[in-house]
Amino acid sequence: MKSRQNLSIGIVSLGCPKTLVDSEVILGKARGAHFSITQDIEKSDIVLLNTCGFIRDAKEESIDALLKLLELKKEKKLLGVIVVGCLVQRYAGELQKEFPEVDAFVGSGDYKRIAEVLKKVADGKKFITVHKAGYLANSDEARVPLTPSHSRYLKISEGCDHTCSFCVIPKLRGRYRSRHIADLVKEAKQLADEGAKELVVIGQDITKFGCDYARRSLLPELLQALSVVRDVRWMRLLYTYPSTLSDNIIQAIARSKKVCRYIDLPLQHISDKILRSMRRGGTKKQITELIRKLRVMIPGVVIRTSFIVGFPGETERDFEELLEFMRETKFERLGIFRYSREEGSAAAEFPDQVPEPVKEERYHRAMQLQQEIVREVNRRYIGEELRVLIESGDSEKAGWWAGRSAMDAPEIDGSVLVKSRKALEPGKFYTVKITDTQDYDLLGQI
């Protein structure tokens, strides 16, 4: 049997970028306990599965991944399987009963015990720890990167205090907590030293950063402090909440030379009736004014949003109002989600639940409309020159490279496909002239 020092640890990270940062911290603690780290699951002795429990599709993905890992364990290809994260925080008891062959379960707030858990599993012992939800690491805690070194996530807060009726995030991640600016600047410098050219600032609601201890948003101050970090060229903001996106924050984004003109603004719906039922804390009039203000105060801004279709009580008229709003507003980036009836959420008990076939039909209609809008929006950029961060070469087409403009967040948005006679270097910026469009992507050349 291998000694602990020779055991290799792998991780399968599911869900959002916030979970990905947690996975990097978890691996950092494993490495700090002198376990070796591998990104090849088939070469791992112990595998951690970091789960998502937000909506039904995410839960199903987590269970499917767990079943595959347990099959590897059954075939003696793995010594141990440890399940961590949101699904454990939500369903620890049920998971223990359903999957007794899992070696350990760790809730979303107990990552400080990872080294202890790994040692127990290595010794053949079972373990479970589920306490306060939502772990928030600081700059002194090592991270093992799971993204390219040139683009890293900076997690500035944890948890959520909003009471949206469809959401269970507060139960999975706990109350809202912010880090301190000095600690975030320290971590940003560390990430820059490791090669980061882009910092993606994330939290469940970054617009409330600092409100828990300063009683006001400190996001403008944070952006100013981060702007002096050398070598970081782009800062991208994910998850700004519409009702707390203030003029001060908008002005700070507009002033900054490093913050991308890219606003992630999850709206969820536009019908006043549905917004009230969702407990979103805003109205159609306020949302329309906010979008107008963003486009005036930040010229050229790209707005990404998300909508939920099939929410309880959503009528065909409500849905048509949403489609008309999409036609009028022409969001540059947009995601559509089918409503997921989550136990423990207020909306799960609402009357007038929408049938699944109706949700599916509305989802496809909304997605088809957005595809038409994106084609129209993307045509605006033909002939323009964009600054593009190259990510990788195309393995199938020689002379083509994939990158992202300031308008594109990692993983969730499209790409800029670049033709170049000379080899390009991933992690470097190039000026690209846009020549054509392709579905959600832009085509260009150096």
mmCIF file with all atom_site columns, all heavy atoms in Angstrom, residues 283-298:
data_model
loop_
_atom_site.group_PDB
_atom_site.id
_atom_site.type_symbol
_atom_site.label_atom_id
_atom_site.label_alt_id
_atom_site.label_comp_id
_atom_site.label_asym_id
_atom_site.label_entity_id
_atom_site.label_seq_id
_atom_site.pdbx_PDB_ins_code
_atom_site.Cartn_x
_atom_site.Cartn_y
_atom_site.Cartn_z
_atom_site.occupancy
_atom_site.B_iso_or_equiv
_atom_site.pdbx_formal_charge
_atom_site.auth_seq_id
_atom_site.auth_comp_id
_atom_site.auth_asym_id
_atom_site.auth_atom_id
_atom_site.pdbx_PDB_model_num
ATOM 1   N N   . THR A 1 283 ? -38.617 46.706 -10.335 1.00 0.00 ? 283 THR A N   1
ATOM 2   C CA  . THR A 1 283 ? -39.740 46.727 -11.276 1.00 0.00 ? 283 THR A CA  1
ATOM 3   C C   . THR A 1 283 ? -39.218 46.839 -12.702 1.00 0.00 ? 283 THR A C   1
ATOM 4   O O   . THR A 1 283 ? -38.045 47.153 -12.933 1.00 0.00 ? 283 THR A O   1
ATOM 5   C CB  . THR A 1 283 ? -40.662 47.925 -11.002 1.00 0.00 ? 283 THR A CB  1
ATOM 6   O OG1 . THR A 1 283 ? -39.921 49.139 -11.257 1.00 0.00 ? 283 THR A OG1 1
ATOM 7   C CG2 . THR A 1 283 ? -41.164 47.930 -9.567  1.00 0.00 ? 283 THR A CG2 1
ATOM 8   N N   . LYS A 1 284 ? -40.113 46.612 -13.646 1.00 0.00 ? 284 LYS A N   1
ATOM 9   C CA  . LYS A 1 284 ? -39.752 46.750 -15.059 1.00 0.00 ? 284 LYS A CA  1
ATOM 10  C C   . LYS A 1 284 ? -39.245 48.162 -15.350 1.00 0.00 ? 284 LYS A C   1
ATOM 11  O O   . LYS A 1 284 ? -38.251 48.335 -16.071 1.00 0.00 ? 284 LYS A O   1
ATOM 12  C CB  . LYS A 1 284 ? -40.971 46.420 -15.934 1.00 0.00 ? 284 LYS A CB  1
ATOM 13  C CG  . LYS A 1 284 ? -40.708 46.539 -17.422 1.00 0.00 ? 284 LYS A CG  1
ATOM 14  C CD  . LYS A 1 284 ? -41.935 46.154 -18.223 1.00 0.00 ? 284 LYS A CD  1
ATOM 15  C CE  . LYS A 1 284 ? -41.661 46.207 -19.726 1.00 0.00 ? 284 LYS A CE  1
ATOM 16  N NZ  . LYS A 1 284 ? -42.845 45.785 -20.512 1.00 0.00 ? 284 LYS A NZ  1
ATOM 17  N N   . LYS A 1 285 ? -39.919 49.154 -14.803 1.00 0.00 ? 285 LYS A N   1
ATOM 18  C CA  . LYS A 1 285 ? -39.510 50.545 -15.034 1.00 0.00 ? 285 LYS A CA  1
ATOM 19  C C   . LYS A 1 285 ? -38.098 50.793 -14.518 1.00 0.00 ? 285 LYS A C   1
ATOM 20  O O   . LYS A 1 285 ? -37.281 51.437 -15.192 1.00 0.00 ? 285 LYS A O   1
ATOM 21  C CB  . LYS A 1 285 ? -40.506 51.489 -14.355 1.00 0.00 ? 285 LYS A CB  1
ATOM 22  C CG  . LYS A 1 285 ? -40.220 52.959 -14.592 1.00 0.00 ? 285 LYS A CG  1
ATOM 23  C CD  . LYS A 1 285 ? -41.275 53.833 -13.920 1.00 0.00 ? 285 LYS A CD  1
ATOM 24  C CE  . LYS A 1 285 ? -40.979 55.316 -14.154 1.00 0.00 ? 285 LYS A CE  1
ATOM 25  N NZ  . LYS A 1 285 ? -41.982 56.182 -13.496 1.00 0.00 ? 285 LYS A NZ  1
ATOM 26  N N   . GLN A 1 286 ? -37.800 50.280 -13.319 1.00 0.00 ? 286 GLN A N   1
ATOM 27  C CA  . GLN A 1 286 ? -36.467 50.481 -12.741 1.00 0.00 ? 286 GLN A CA  1
ATOM 28  C C   . GLN A 1 286 ? -35.397 49.758 -13.551 1.00 0.00 ? 286 GLN A C   1
ATOM 29  O O   . GLN A 1 286 ? -34.294 50.279 -13.766 1.00 0.00 ? 286 GLN A O   1
ATOM 30  C CB  . GLN A 1 286 ? -36.465 49.984 -11.291 1.00 0.00 ? 286 GLN A CB  1
ATOM 31  C CG  . GLN A 1 286 ? -37.284 50.864 -10.352 1.00 0.00 ? 286 GLN A CG  1
ATOM 32  C CD  . GLN A 1 286 ? -37.489 50.220 -8.989  1.00 0.00 ? 286 GLN A CD  1
ATOM 33  O OE1 . GLN A 1 286 ? -37.538 48.986 -8.861  1.00 0.00 ? 286 GLN A OE1 1
ATOM 34  N NE2 . GLN A 1 286 ? -37.619 51.046 -7.955  1.00 0.00 ? 286 GLN A NE2 1
ATOM 35  N N   . ILE A 1 287 ? -35.712 48.547 -14.009 1.00 0.00 ? 287 ILE A N   1
ATOM 36  C CA  . ILE A 1 287 ? -34.756 47.782 -14.810 1.00 0.00 ? 287 ILE A CA  1
ATOM 37  C C   . ILE A 1 287 ? -34.478 48.485 -16.134 1.00 0.00 ? 287 ILE A C   1
ATOM 38  O O   . ILE A 1 287 ? -33.322 48.608 -16.562 1.00 0.00 ? 287 ILE A O   1
ATOM 39  C CB  . ILE A 1 287 ? -35.287 46.355 -15.045 1.00 0.00 ? 287 ILE A CB  1
ATOM 40  C CG1 . ILE A 1 287 ? -35.241 45.553 -13.729 1.00 0.00 ? 287 ILE A CG1 1
ATOM 41  C CG2 . ILE A 1 287 ? -34.489 45.637 -16.130 1.00 0.00 ? 287 ILE A CG2 1
ATOM 42  C CD1 . ILE A 1 287 ? -35.962 44.223 -13.791 1.00 0.00 ? 287 ILE A CD1 1
ATOM 43  N N   . THR A 1 288 ? -35.533 48.949 -16.785 1.00 0.00 ? 288 THR A N   1
ATOM 44  C CA  . THR A 1 288 ? -35.380 49.647 -18.065 1.00 0.00 ? 288 THR A CA  1
ATOM 45  C C   . THR A 1 288 ? -34.522 50.895 -17.906 1.00 0.00 ? 288 THR A C   1
ATOM 46  O O   . THR A 1 288 ? -33.647 51.180 -18.737 1.00 0.00 ? 288 THR A O   1
ATOM 47  C CB  . THR A 1 288 ? -36.759 50.024 -18.630 1.00 0.00 ? 288 THR A CB  1
ATOM 48  O OG1 . THR A 1 288 ? -37.553 48.839 -18.762 1.00 0.00 ? 288 THR A OG1 1
ATOM 49  C CG2 . THR A 1 288 ? -36.631 50.695 -19.985 1.00 0.00 ? 288 THR A CG2 1
ATOM 50  N N   . GLU A 1 289 ? -34.735 51.632 -16.814 1.00 0.00 ? 289 GLU A N   1
ATOM 51  C CA  . GLU A 1 289 ? -33.949 52.841 -16.552 1.00 0.00 ? 289 GLU A CA  1
ATOM 52  C C   . GLU A 1 289 ? -32.492 52.482 -16.252 1.00 0.00 ? 289 GLU A C   1
ATOM 53  O O   . GLU A 1 289 ? -31.564 53.182 -16.685 1.00 0.00 ? 289 GLU A O   1
ATOM 54  C CB  . GLU A 1 289 ? -34.564 53.619 -15.385 1.00 0.00 ? 289 GLU A CB  1
ATOM 55  C CG  . GLU A 1 289 ? -33.740 54.804 -14.893 1.00 0.00 ? 289 GLU A CG  1
ATOM 56  C CD  . GLU A 1 289 ? -33.453 55.845 -15.963 1.00 0.00 ? 289 GLU A CD  1
ATOM 57  O OE1 . GLU A 1 289 ? -34.177 55.900 -16.984 1.00 0.00 ? 289 GLU A OE1 1
ATOM 58  O OE2 . GLU A 1 289 ? -32.489 56.625 -15.772 1.00 0.00 ? 289 GLU A OE2 1
ATOM 59  N N   . LEU A 1 290 ? -32.268 51.387 -15.522 1.00 0.00 ? 290 LEU A N   1
ATOM 60  C CA  . LEU A 1 290 ? -30.905 50.965 -15.205 1.00 0.00 ? 290 LEU A CA  1
ATOM 61  C C   . LEU A 1 290 ? -30.137 50.616 -16.481 1.00 0.00 ? 290 LEU A C   1
ATOM 62  O O   . LEU A 1 290 ? -28.971 51.014 -16.641 1.00 0.00 ? 290 LEU A O   1
ATOM 63  C CB  . LEU A 1 290 ? -30.934 49.764 -14.253 1.00 0.00 ? 290 LEU A CB  1
ATOM 64  C CG  . LEU A 1 290 ? -29.583 49.122 -13.920 1.00 0.00 ? 290 LEU A CG  1
ATOM 65  C CD1 . LEU A 1 290 ? -28.660 50.132 -13.246 1.00 0.00 ? 290 LEU A CD1 1
ATOM 66  C CD2 . LEU A 1 290 ? -29.774 47.889 -13.033 1.00 0.00 ? 290 LEU A CD2 1
ATOM 67  N N   . ILE A 1 291 ? -30.763 49.894 -17.378 1.00 0.00 ? 291 ILE A N   1
ATOM 68  C CA  . ILE A 1 291 ? -30.089 49.522 -18.624 1.00 0.00 ? 291 ILE A CA  1
ATOM 69  C C   . ILE A 1 291 ? -29.780 50.759 -19.458 1.00 0.00 ? 291 ILE A C   1
ATOM 70  O O   . ILE A 1 291 ? -28.689 50.889 -20.035 1.00 0.00 ? 291 ILE A O   1
ATOM 71  C CB  . ILE A 1 291 ? -30.945 48.506 -19.408 1.00 0.00 ? 291 ILE A CB  1
ATOM 72  C CG1 . ILE A 1 291 ? -30.995 47.181 -18.647 1.00 0.00 ? 291 ILE A CG1 1
ATOM 73  C CG2 . ILE A 1 291 ? -30.392 48.289 -20.815 1.00 0.00 ? 291 ILE A CG2 1
ATOM 74  C CD1 . ILE A 1 291 ? -32.012 46.208 -19.151 1.00 0.00 ? 291 ILE A CD1 1
ATOM 75  N N   . ARG A 1 292 ? -30.735 51.695 -19.507 1.00 0.00 ? 292 ARG A N   1
ATOM 76  C CA  . ARG A 1 292 ? -30.486 52.950 -20.232 1.00 0.00 ? 292 ARG A CA  1
ATOM 77  C C   . ARG A 1 292 ? -29.287 53.676 -19.633 1.00 0.00 ? 292 ARG A C   1
ATOM 78  O O   . ARG A 1 292 ? -28.403 54.166 -20.358 1.00 0.00 ? 292 ARG A O   1
ATOM 79  C CB  . ARG A 1 292 ? -31.730 53.840 -20.155 1.00 0.00 ? 292 ARG A CB  1
ATOM 80  C CG  . ARG A 1 292 ? -31.632 55.128 -20.986 1.00 0.00 ? 292 ARG A CG  1
ATOM 81  C CD  . ARG A 1 292 ? -32.606 56.184 -20.519 1.00 0.00 ? 292 ARG A CD  1
ATOM 82  N NE  . ARG A 1 292 ? -32.304 56.655 -19.167 1.00 0.00 ? 292 ARG A NE  1
ATOM 83  C CZ  . ARG A 1 292 ? -31.334 57.538 -18.888 1.00 0.00 ? 292 ARG A CZ  1
ATOM 84  N NH1 . ARG A 1 292 ? -30.573 58.032 -19.857 1.00 0.00 ? 292 ARG A NH1 1
ATOM 85  N NH2 . ARG A 1 292 ? -31.123 57.919 -17.642 1.00 0.00 ? 292 ARG A NH2 1
ATOM 86  N N   . LYS A 1 293 ? -29.259 53.721 -18.318 1.00 0.00 ? 293 LYS A N   1
ATOM 87  C CA  . LYS A 1 293 ? -28.173 54.421 -17.618 1.00 0.00 ? 293 LYS A CA  1
ATOM 88  C C   . LYS A 1 293 ? -26.819 53.748 -17.885 1.00 0.00 ? 293 LYS A C   1
ATOM 89  O O   . LYS A 1 293 ? -25.809 54.430 -18.133 1.00 0.00 ? 293 LYS A O   1
ATOM 90  C CB  . LYS A 1 293 ? -28.480 54.407 -16.115 1.00 0.00 ? 293 LYS A CB  1
ATOM 91  C CG  . LYS A 1 293 ? -27.573 55.307 -15.287 1.00 0.00 ? 293 LYS A CG  1
ATOM 92  C CD  . LYS A 1 293 ? -27.898 55.169 -13.809 1.00 0.00 ? 293 LYS A CD  1
ATOM 93  C CE  . LYS A 1 293 ? -29.284 55.671 -13.487 1.00 0.00 ? 293 LYS A CE  1
ATOM 94  N NZ  . LYS A 1 293 ? -29.571 55.594 -12.024 1.00 0.00 ? 293 LYS A NZ  1
ATOM 95  N N   . LEU A 1 294 ? -26.792 52.420 -17.861 1.00 0.00 ? 294 LEU A N   1
ATOM 96  C CA  . LEU A 1 294 ? -25.548 51.698 -18.122 1.00 0.00 ? 294 LEU A CA  1
ATOM 97  C C   . LEU A 1 294 ? -25.013 52.018 -19.506 1.00 0.00 ? 294 LEU A C   1
ATOM 98  O O   . LEU A 1 294 ? -23.809 52.260 -19.685 1.00 0.00 ? 294 LEU A O   1
ATOM 99  C CB  . LEU A 1 294 ? -25.776 50.185 -17.987 1.00 0.00 ? 294 LEU A CB  1
ATOM 100 C CG  . LEU A 1 294 ? -25.882 49.625 -16.568 1.00 0.00 ? 294 LEU A CG  1
ATOM 101 C CD1 . LEU A 1 294 ? -26.379 48.187 -16.595 1.00 0.00 ? 294 LEU A CD1 1
ATOM 102 C CD2 . LEU A 1 294 ? -24.530 49.698 -15.864 1.00 0.00 ? 294 LEU A CD2 1
ATOM 103 N N   . ARG A 1 295 ? -25.894 52.056 -20.485 1.00 0.00 ? 295 ARG A N   1
ATOM 104 C CA  . ARG A 1 295 ? -25.447 52.265 -21.858 1.00 0.00 ? 295 ARG A CA  1
ATOM 105 C C   . ARG A 1 295 ? -25.052 53.719 -22.127 1.00 0.00 ? 295 ARG A C   1
ATOM 106 O O   . ARG A 1 295 ? -24.235 53.985 -23.012 1.00 0.00 ? 295 ARG A O   1
ATOM 107 C CB  . ARG A 1 295 ? -26.528 51.792 -22.830 1.00 0.00 ? 295 ARG A CB  1
ATOM 108 C CG  . ARG A 1 295 ? -26.600 50.263 -22.865 1.00 0.00 ? 295 ARG A CG  1
ATOM 109 C CD  . ARG A 1 295 ? -27.688 49.704 -23.747 1.00 0.00 ? 295 ARG A CD  1
ATOM 110 N NE  . ARG A 1 295 ? -27.471 48.270 -23.963 1.00 0.00 ? 295 ARG A NE  1
ATOM 111 C CZ  . ARG A 1 295 ? -28.362 47.449 -24.479 1.00 0.00 ? 295 ARG A CZ  1
ATOM 112 N NH1 . ARG A 1 295 ? -29.553 47.905 -24.859 1.00 0.00 ? 295 ARG A NH1 1
ATOM 113 N NH2 . ARG A 1 295 ? -28.083 46.167 -24.642 1.00 0.00 ? 295 ARG A NH2 1
ATOM 114 N N   . VAL A 1 296 ? -25.589 54.627 -21.325 1.00 0.00 ? 296 VAL A N   1
ATOM 115 C CA  . VAL A 1 296 ? -25.188 56.037 -21.453 1.00 0.00 ? 296 VAL A CA  1
ATOM 116 C C   . VAL A 1 296 ? -23.884 56.299 -20.702 1.00 0.00 ? 296 VAL A C   1
ATOM 117 O O   . VAL A 1 296 ? -22.971 56.941 -21.216 1.00 0.00 ? 296 VAL A O   1
ATOM 118 C CB  . VAL A 1 296 ? -26.309 56.964 -20.919 1.00 0.00 ? 296 VAL A CB  1
ATOM 119 C CG1 . VAL A 1 296 ? -25.804 58.398 -20.791 1.00 0.00 ? 296 VAL A CG1 1
ATOM 120 C CG2 . VAL A 1 296 ? -27.521 56.921 -21.844 1.00 0.00 ? 296 VAL A CG2 1
ATOM 121 N N   . MET A 1 297 ? -23.783 55.785 -19.471 1.00 0.00 ? 297 MET A N   1
ATOM 122 C CA  . MET A 1 297 ? -22.632 56.082 -18.617 1.00 0.00 ? 297 MET A CA  1
ATOM 123 C C   . MET A 1 297 ? -21.392 55.279 -18.987 1.00 0.00 ? 297 MET A C   1
ATOM 124 O O   . MET A 1 297 ? -20.262 55.697 -18.707 1.00 0.00 ? 297 MET A O   1
ATOM 125 C CB  . MET A 1 297 ? -23.002 55.839 -17.149 1.00 0.00 ? 297 MET A CB  1
ATOM 126 C CG  . MET A 1 297 ? -24.063 56.794 -16.618 1.00 0.00 ? 297 MET A CG  1
ATOM 127 S SD  . MET A 1 297 ? -24.606 56.406 -14.921 1.00 0.00 ? 297 MET A SD  1
ATOM 128 C CE  . MET A 1 297 ? -23.122 56.766 -13.983 1.00 0.00 ? 297 MET A CE  1
ATOM 129 N N   . ILE A 1 298 ? -21.590 54.097 -19.615 1.00 0.00 ? 298 ILE A N   1
ATOM 130 C CA  . ILE A 1 298 ? -20.451 53.260 -20.013 1.00 0.00 ? 298 ILE A CA  1
ATOM 131 C C   . ILE A 1 298 ? -20.586 52.994 -21.512 1.00 0.00 ? 298 ILE A C   1
ATOM 132 O O   . ILE A 1 298 ? -21.111 51.954 -21.930 1.00 0.00 ? 298 ILE A O   1
ATOM 133 C CB  . ILE A 1 298 ? -20.411 51.928 -19.235 1.00 0.00 ? 298 ILE A CB  1
ATOM 134 C CG1 . ILE A 1 298 ? -20.563 52.170 -17.730 1.00 0.00 ? 298 ILE A CG1 1
ATOM 135 C CG2 . ILE A 1 298 ? -19.107 51.182 -19.515 1.00 0.00 ? 298 ILE A CG2 1
ATOM 136 C CD1 . ILE A 1 298 ? -20.660 50.904 -16.901 1.00 0.00 ? 298 ILE A CD1 1
#
